[in-house]
Amino acid sequence: MGHEVGGTVVEVGDDVDIEIGTEIVLNPLVACEECSCCEESKYNLCRDLQVIGAQRPGAYAERVTAPASNVVPLPDGVSPQAAAVSEPVTVAFHAVMQSPLRDGHSVAVIGLGPIGLGLVQLVKAAGAGPIFASGHREARRELAAECGADVVIDPRETDPIEQIRSKTDGGVDVAFEMAGRESALNDAINATKPGGHTTLVGVFEDDVEIDPMDLVNNERSVNASAAYRTGPHADRDFSAVLEKFATGEIDHEPLVTSRIGLEDIVDDGFEALANADSGEVKVLVQP
Ligand SMILES: [Zn+2]
């Protein structure tokens, strides 16, 4: 495993034009570049997509191999440690690009994992507001406020729909579903105003129910965002995010809650993240 990877190039294959010692981030999505989606340049939708850290050996290791086209050099001022955190933020960046978000739009972010928190920072930097952020874990709601959310909501304490509608003109312009849960999806859709839009980013494990007539009667729209651009475009979304890291527009520090060695990854990584009370968001592993 391990698909959020910053590091230093130590060896290259023949005909690879990357200098040894270059500090880089890996785009972990390896597209086949032959299927119908790849032919349409929709490489993130590749029918035979392989992921470094899933179908290919991952980066919970001292060294990992990757195609040269998946290597994205870091701009000055961005460390490989920071770059490892750029992966979830790049998922958020792609989602913002897939949404109709514009300067001045009101936004609801439902689900406050690392991608949701990165998204709060991105929409803030894009001039959106007010930003409502809803999530179950207290530590993450506090981080959402730190990342720029104007109103944070515990959906178990307060009805997010009521709160968002009362503080806007009947709902937000754009909502993002970042949790992969039925309740979060319905909260996101219902948080939008008539004619509003919801972009799905969360990973759903089960079928969910929504009310399609609510979409029809209110002309609410829904679309979805999958990871980020890759293949011959592997550097594009990543470079845009890394540039925001370099300028300070995005601060990765609030997302990193612990730094550990590879030998502690089970107890202090996986177990800690599975425990809702741990307060962990991103655990940075340094092999
Ligand atoms: Zn393909």
Side-chain angles (χ1 to χ4, degrees):
M1 294 166 75
H3 67 278
E4 305 176 3
V5 197
T8 306
V9 175
V10 291
E11 206 176 327
V12 296
D14 297 338
D15 303 326
V16 172
D17 190 21
I18 301 169
E19 247 179 79
I20 306 288
T22 306
E23 291 185 330
I24 58 106
V25 64
L26 280 190
N27 181 325
L29 307 183
V30 182
C32 77
E33 302 191 20
E34 287 175 359
C35 71
S36 57
C37 291
C38 286
E39 273 181 8
E40 289 180 36
S41 299
K42 294 171 181 165
Y43 300 101
N44 58 323
L45 308 183
C46 173
R47 301 296 86 192
D48 192 23
L49 194 67
Q50 296 200 340
V51 182
I52 294 169
Q55 295 83 2
R56 289 172 172 245
Y60 292 151
E62 290 178 9
R63 295 182 180 200
V64 62
T65 57
S69 57
N70 285 71
V71 169
V72 184
L74 303 184
D76 285 345
V78 179
S79 67
Q81 287 81 1
V85 187
S86 68
E87 197 275 348
V89 181
T90 305
V91 175
F93 175 81
H94 190 72
V96 172
M97 300 306 284
Q98 294 296 106
S99 82
L101 185 87
R102 289 200 314 268
D103 187 14
H105 269 168
S106 50
V107 175
V109 182
I110 312 294
L112 300 175
I115 301 172
L117 292 168
L119 192 128
V120 170
Q121 289 198 45
L122 286 165
V123 296
K124 184 80 176 180
I131 300 167
F132 300 88
S134 172
H136 285 184
R137 298 189 185 188
E138 191 187 350
R140 294 183 178 193
R141 287 195 300 275
E142 284 169 12
L143 282 173
E146 205 179 306
C147 288
D150 299 294
V151 179
V152 294
I153 301 165
D154 179 350
R156 288 169 303 188
E157 298 273 315
T158 321
D159 179 5
I161 312 306
E162 242 169 61
Q163 197 168 353
I164 291 169
R165 286 187 182 168
S166 73
K167 291 191 161 121
T168 55
D169 195 11
V172 293
D173 296 291
V174 182
F176 293 90
E177 199 292 332
M178 317 295 295
R181 278 198 312 271
E182 183 173 83
S183 59
L185 177 56
N186 279 294
D187 283 354
I189 291 171
N190 289 308
T192 62
K193 65 184 188 186
H197 178 87
T198 302
T199 295
L200 275 61
V201 189
V203 176
F204 290 82
E205 287 175 5
D206 301 306
D207 290 347
V208 298
E209 241 179 66
I210 60 165
D211 176 4
M213 279 321 293
D214 173 71
L215 299 178
V216 173
N217 287 333
N218 294 292
E219 273 192 0
R220 290 186 165 117
S221 61
V222 172
N223 78 346
S225 181
Y228 30 69
R229 287 181 285 179
T230 189
H233 305 156
D235 61 326
R236 295 197 186 168
D237 289 341
F238 268 95
S239 292
V241 167
L242 291 167
E243 203 48 48
K244 292 175 193 297
F245 276 35
T247 60
E249 203 178 321
I250 301 291
D251 181 9
H252 75 282
E253 285 295 343
L255 306 181
V256 179
T257 43
S258 288
R259 293 160 195 271
I260 62 172
L262 189 56
E263 63 281 7
D264 297 320
I265 196 166
V266 174
D267 289 347
D268 299 340
F270 297 118
E271 298 287 348
L273 284 164
N275 173 5
D277 299 325
S278 72
E280 295 288 2
V281 177
K282 266 289 158 219
V283 176
L284 196 62
V285 181
Q286 186 115 29

